[in-house]
Structures are given as structure tokens and as C-alpha cells.
Amino acid sequence: MFGRRKFLSLPMVIVASVIGVISGKAIFGPPLEEYWSKKLQEEQAMKEKDGSS
């Protein structure tokens, strides 16, 4: 009933991949940016702490 007779076409795969990348950046972009900015701030604070002692 739902069997495939042929593979997906290349343009369809490319479009689906582009849509996936764009939606992934929209969903996960802001939290990741916040995480990495906090991580960099923590690393800088640790370097300053180690340098001052």
C-alpha cells in the first residue's frame, strides 16, 4: 500500500536538507549562543582568577 517504487529525487533531498538546517538554526540557535557566551565568560573568569593568584 505504502511501498516505494523508486528512490527520492536529488532535488527533493536537497530541499529537505536546507529546510532542516534552517529550522534547526531557528530552534537551537539562541539557546546555543547563550550557552557558549556563558561558557566563554566562565573560562575568562577562571583565567583571570588563575592569573591574579
Side-chain angles (χ1 to χ4, degrees):
M1 182 174 177
F2 292 108
R4 276 192 215 168
R5 296 185 192 142
K6 62 179 182 175
F7 293 105
L8 294 173
S9 65
L10 184 61
M12 188 181 294
V13 171
I14 292 171
V15 168
S17 299
V18 169
I19 290 172
V21 168
I22 292 172
S23 64
K25 284 185 179 182
I27 294 170
F28 298 111
L32 282 174
E33 288 293 325
E34 182 180 338
Y35 170 79
W36 285 114
S37 65
K38 285 182 182 178
K39 191 81 165 171
L40 288 173
Q41 287 176 355
E42 289 175 3
E43 287 179 3
Q44 287 178 350
M46 291 296 280
K47 285 182 182 178
E48 289 176 358
K49 183 179 177 184
D50 289 342
S52 64
S53 56

